[in-house]
Amino acid sequence: MCGIVGYLGKKKAVPILIDNLKRLEYRGYDSAGVAVIKDSTLVVEKSVGKLSKLETIVIPKDYPSTIGIGHTRWATHGKPSDINAHPHMDCKGEIALVHNGIIENYLELKEELIGRGHRFLSETDTEVIVHLVEEFYQGDLLEAVRSAVKRLEGSYAIAVVSSREPERIVVARKDSPLILGIGEGEYFVASDIPAVLNYTRNIWILENGELGEISPSGCKVYDLEGNEKKKETMVVSWDISMAEKGGYPHFMIKEIHEQPNALRETFRGRVGVDGLVRLDFKNITVEELKNLKKLYFVACGTAYHAGLVGKYLIERFVRIPVEADIASEFRYRDPIFEKNSLMIVISQSGETADTLAALRMAKENGVKVVAICNVVGSSIARESDDVLYTYAGPEIAVASTKAYTSQLMVIYLLMLLLAQIKGTLPIDKIKEFVEDLRKIPDIATKVLEDLEPAIIDFSKRYYKAHDVFFIGRGLDYALSLEGALKLKEISYIHAEAYAAGELKHGPLSLLEEGVPVICLATQGYLLDKMISNIKEVKAREAIAIGFGIEGTEDLKDVCDEVFYVPKVNDIYASVITVIPLQLIAYYMAKERGCDIDQPRNLAKSVTVE
Ligand code: AGP
């Protein structure tokens, strides 16, 4: 997620903009910039790299300007570079704009604007907005921004300044956060509360579809039709540390709650008006996808677990063989690379050494590689032939949550695209699956609302467990691996995952009275088998905690307790059912007083072998 700041007051703007951007550094970024107005001229200074680099450029110039906007960029469209950094300017250099979000229809807007003579400098989606504002500008910046945002599809939080109106900042938001800070004769714009806490605790939160203007006489907010809106002032009591976590005690729980939006952003723009999937491959042709004979999913840890879900679904619906491998095993087992195959590497950070090594092996063997990655410009993203980005925003907690569910979203979309291209599913079935997928972000919101209180209670009862087992079949087996990893890595409880049908081949000897067994039973076609396995668990006096889709009443007859997730197409059950498992890990670790965001012995990105 990018960071936006703005300032209008009596002090020099640049030091304040830089200071406020530093408060947003925790969100992650790859470039930064500011725009100020000096002698009725717009000055934009921006550079790829850290804020400290921008500081060395702007601080010595000691701009006297008391108005400005600033930005830290988390790249989504266009690699990290000076020219792609924000702020972006119109053709005449009179308007500067910063943006957080994704403009879905930027390509068509860009073609339209170029057709009317606008000159673009960057690869970003953002730049279309400032040229739209330029087109609509007829002496009133607020009116021009209002007209411009009405042409946008997607998400945006923007701040705009113009040398034509040197005492005014205009802002607008839809689906990306934006707040106004009300100081003593000075006013602030920010993506997030931490950025302004050093100056004011009086906040206005902009709602979707609202625009705002800041001038020396204060702040005003309007709706899209131009009607002024009265805003409640919120007085923030958080300290900086709490504010960086959005009021949550840890990044992990904040990121668990960010999943509905991460899923929405990752889905956004990837389904056409025909209701079919469209993924922006640049170097892999439809012909190559049509002739695909084999897929390799290769990744580590949680990302590998996402790949395993991909294996099950693509084999089932696309009918080609799929291997899912742990990268550190794959690269040393002298794998056989087949013709007409494709490797898909999955990595949140895009820097995992073993995954990068597997990618290079595939390319050395003439196999093209697609990355599912969360960091634009990362090593894995740069070395892959194509990248399908997750738009989860920076993931700070070591335990991966929103990245995993966003990876699943990309895998679901890929599965549907391949089924479409290879004709292994009827078009109406694909459209039905797409519509089921579109509902997932809202179902994720509901599962958080419905289950969090019960999981907190559950965790208080079981956090002293020494061993916890996770069992499941099919997609639920892949999910049990992720549930066990989440629990063990942050609570330090010994947690194991097993294919439920595997229990009688050995693990059953470990079950005894009081051992909690998480039984995942979301797959309708495997329910009877799972019920039999749960009975095996109960016969050993262990505790069976069932997870199923609401309506699966049979689970109540065999489990000690059951958690139901909202109705969902069971091919997508993993992305919803993982959420209560993440919550179990979080709240058990919290009860145990663990260092949740930084668990012992672990790093967020394993860049060494
Ligand atoms: C997940 O909770 C872990 N932090 C870890 O397994 C992680 O998924 C793995 O290291 C892969 O990281 P990557 O996605 O950045 O490649």
Side-chain angles (χ1 to χ4, degrees):
M1 289 169 283
C2 303
I4 289 174
V5 295
Y7 175 76
L8 173 66
K10 299 183 178 55
K11 306 182 187 100
K12 289 179 183 173
V14 168
I16 293 173
L17 295 174
I18 296 287
D19 185 30
N20 291 359
L21 284 175
K22 283 180 178 174
R23 297 284 167 214
L24 297 177
E25 279 192 295
Y26 70 91
R27 298 154 64 103
Y29 66 99
D30 48 59
S31 48
V34 295
V36 294
I37 298 173
K38 175 175 177 275
D39 307 330
S40 297
T41 304
L42 204 52
V43 177
V44 168
E45 303 270 12
K46 56 186 185 177
S47 73
V48 70
K50 290 303 175 193
L51 268 176
S52 52
K53 183 178 172 194
L54 180 66
E55 264 189 300
T56 60
I57 297 169
V58 296
I59 296 298
K61 295 179 180 176
D62 194 23
Y63 289 112
S65 175
T66 62
I67 179 173
I69 55 176
H71 188 267
T72 47
R73 182 173 183 244
W74 171 268
T76 54
H77 294 72
K79 65 185 179 304
S81 67
D82 289 355
I83 201 66
N84 285 337
H86 303 203
H88 290 285
M89 286 206 279
D90 68 321
C91 302
K92 297 191 282 296
E94 293 177 344
I95 302 169
L97 177 144
V98 291
H99 167 233
N100 179 27
I102 295 175
I103 305 304
E104 285 178 50
N105 60 335
Y106 84 96
L107 285 174
E108 59 201 73
L109 289 171
K110 189 168 182 175
E111 281 167 30
E112 192 187 306
L113 289 159
I114 289 171
R116 290 200 290 268
H118 289 267
R119 295 178 311 287
F120 281 78
L121 302 176
S122 79
E123 306 162 302
T124 66
D125 55 336
T126 298
E127 200 179 351
V128 299
I129 311 174
V130 72
H131 289 287
L132 279 174
V133 174
E134 175 188 10
E135 267 207 354
F136 286 114
Y137 188 78
Q138 294 173 344
D140 184 335
L141 189 60
L142 176 64
E143 286 316 306
V145 171
R146 188 195 323 283
S147 304
V149 298
K150 286 180 177 176
R151 291 294 316 276
L152 303 180
E153 292 170 19
S155 55
Y156 57 80
I158 58 175
V160 194
V161 289
S162 169
S163 54
R164 307 274 289 273
E165 301 182 33
E167 291 195 325
R168 201 181 193 195
I169 301 176
V170 172
V171 298
R173 78 144 291 186
K174 174 176 169 289
D175 290 343
S176 284
L178 201 63
I179 62 160
L180 300 181
I182 320 294
E184 295 294 323
E186 57 184 10
Y187 306 97
F188 303 84
V189 178
S191 301
D192 205 352
I193 289 171
V196 302
L197 279 187
N198 273 350
Y199 299 91
T200 180
R201 289 184 175 276
N202 300 320
I203 305 292
W204 288 3
I205 295 179
L206 250 64
E207 303 296 340
N208 273 353
E210 289 185 342
L211 295 92
E213 63 170 331
I214 296 177
S215 68
S217 55
C219 299
K220 288 186 178 176
V221 172
Y222 306 86
D223 64 19
L224 269 177
E225 303 323 311
N227 306 307
E228 187 171 350
K229 298 191 71 179
K230 175 126 185 59
K231 297 299 285 183
E232 289 296 314
T233 298
M234 175 181 136
V235 181
V236 175
S237 57
W238 298 334
D239 61 24
I240 286 273
S241 167
M242 279 287 275
E244 284 179 350
K245 302 180 188 76
Y248 290 99
H250 299 98
F251 280 110
M252 183 180 177
I253 192 66
K254 177 183 178 226
E255 289 158 5
I256 288 173
H257 281 267
E258 285 177 340
Q259 290 183 113
N261 201 48
L263 288 164
R264 199 168 288 114
E265 290 302 301
T266 300
F267 181 88
R268 191 187 293 280
R270 289 170 155 164
V271 172
V273 291
D274 59 1
L276 295 173
V277 172
R278 57 181 192 186
L279 293 176
D280 44 351
F281 285 109
K282 293 182 173 57
N283 300 306
I284 292 167
T285 65
V286 172
E287 207 50 35
E288 285 175 312
L289 295 176
K290 194 176 180 64
N291 296 329
L292 211 49
K293 294 288 183 294
K294 180 163 189 177
L295 266 185
Y296 303 85
F297 277 110
V298 180
C300 297
T302 286
Y304 161 66
H305 298 153
L308 203 50
V309 170
K311 169 186 169 62
Y312 279 106
L313 287 173
I314 290 175
E315 288 194 339
R316 182 172 163 195
F317 293 113
V318 185
R319 307 309 296 158
I320 58 172
V322 180
E323 285 189 24
D325 269 287
I326 292 168
S328 56
E329 286 297 304
F330 180 84
R331 58 183 295 207
Y332 295 112
R333 66 176 177 79
D334 199 9
I336 296 164
F337 290 99
E338 298 186 23
K339 281 173 60 61
N340 294 330
S341 65
L342 181 67
M343 179 183 281
I344 298 175
V345 291
I346 306 172
S347 178
Q348 187 285 130
S349 63
E351 300 299 343
T352 299
D354 285 317
T355 309
L356 185 55
L359 177 162
R360 290 168 177 165
M361 269 181 87
K363 298 195 72 170
E364 285 157 13
N365 286 276
V367 172
K368 284 189 174 180
V369 180
V370 173
I372 297 176
C373 189
N374 196 44
V375 181
V376 175
S378 60
S379 303
I380 287 173
R382 276 184 285 105
E383 296 192 29
S384 297
D385 295 288
D386 262 307
V387 189
L388 298 174
Y389 282 110
T390 50
Y391 294 111
E395 189 175 68
I396 313 292
V398 166
S400 186
T401 52
K402 62 177 183 173
Y404 171 76
T405 47
S406 301
Q407 288 158 3
L408 292 186
M409 177 59 83
V410 172
I411 287 167
Y412 295 146
L413 289 162
L414 177 64
M415 176 269 285
L416 292 169
L417 179 69
L418 291 176
Q420 194 179 306
I421 290 173
K422 294 173 86 64
T424 51
L425 279 175
I427 290 299
D428 57 347
K429 192 67 179 168
I430 292 172
K431 289 183 177 180
E432 178 194 321
F433 282 176
V434 168
E435 288 317 304
D436 290 341
L437 191 57
R438 193 189 300 274
K439 297 170 190 163
I440 290 299
D442 289 343
I443 297 174
T445 298
K446 190 167 178 354
V447 78
L448 280 163
E449 288 166 356
D450 291 357
L451 289 188
E452 188 161 25
I455 294 290
I456 292 172
D457 170 64
F458 171 85
S459 303
K460 288 183 188 307
R461 288 183 279 124
Y462 286 98
Y463 74 95
K464 291 181 178 165
H466 290 286
D467 304 285
V468 177
F469 291 86
F470 291 73
I471 64 171
R473 287 174 172 263
L475 289 172
D476 284 335
Y477 167 56
L479 183 59
S480 63
L481 289 165
E482 177 57 14
L485 175 63
K486 283 282 107 29
L487 182 60
K488 72 180 82 169
E489 71 174 321
I490 64 168
S491 73
Y492 316 145
I493 293 172
H494 171 242
E496 290 292 341
Y498 284 105
E502 192 59 10
L503 283 178
K504 54 183 150 322
H505 299 285
L508 211 51
S509 68
L510 289 173
L511 297 194
E512 56 191 20
E513 186 179 351
V515 173
V517 181
I518 309 277
C519 307
L520 305 178
T522 68
Q523 300 301 296
Y525 74 108
L526 292 167
L527 184 61
D528 291 347
K529 292 289 181 194
M530 263 313 285
I531 290 205
S532 304
N533 295 136
I534 295 169
K535 286 176 181 171
E536 290 169 6
V537 168
K538 287 306 297 163
R540 277 77 187 173
E541 306 293 312
I543 301 168
I545 299 108
F547 280 81
I549 295 173
E550 72 183 32
T552 320
E553 295 303 311
D554 295 357
L555 285 176
K556 287 178 182 167
D557 302 335
V558 290
C559 294
D560 293 280
E561 53 186 305
V562 183
F563 293 92
Y564 287 110
V565 296
K567 278 213 179 305
V568 61
N569 183 328
D570 66 4
I571 68 172
Y572 302 136
S574 310
V575 76
I576 294 300
T577 314
V578 72
I579 294 173
L581 304 186
Q582 294 164 347
L583 292 171
I584 286 175
Y586 174 78
Y587 284 108
M588 281 206 189
K590 193 174 182 189
E591 287 297 325
R592 295 166 69 96
C594 296
D595 182 357
I596 290 172
D597 286 334
Q598 299 287 344
R600 65 188 182 198
N601 313 333
L602 300 180
K604 180 58 186 169
S605 176
V606 184
T607 56
V608 294
E609 290 198 24

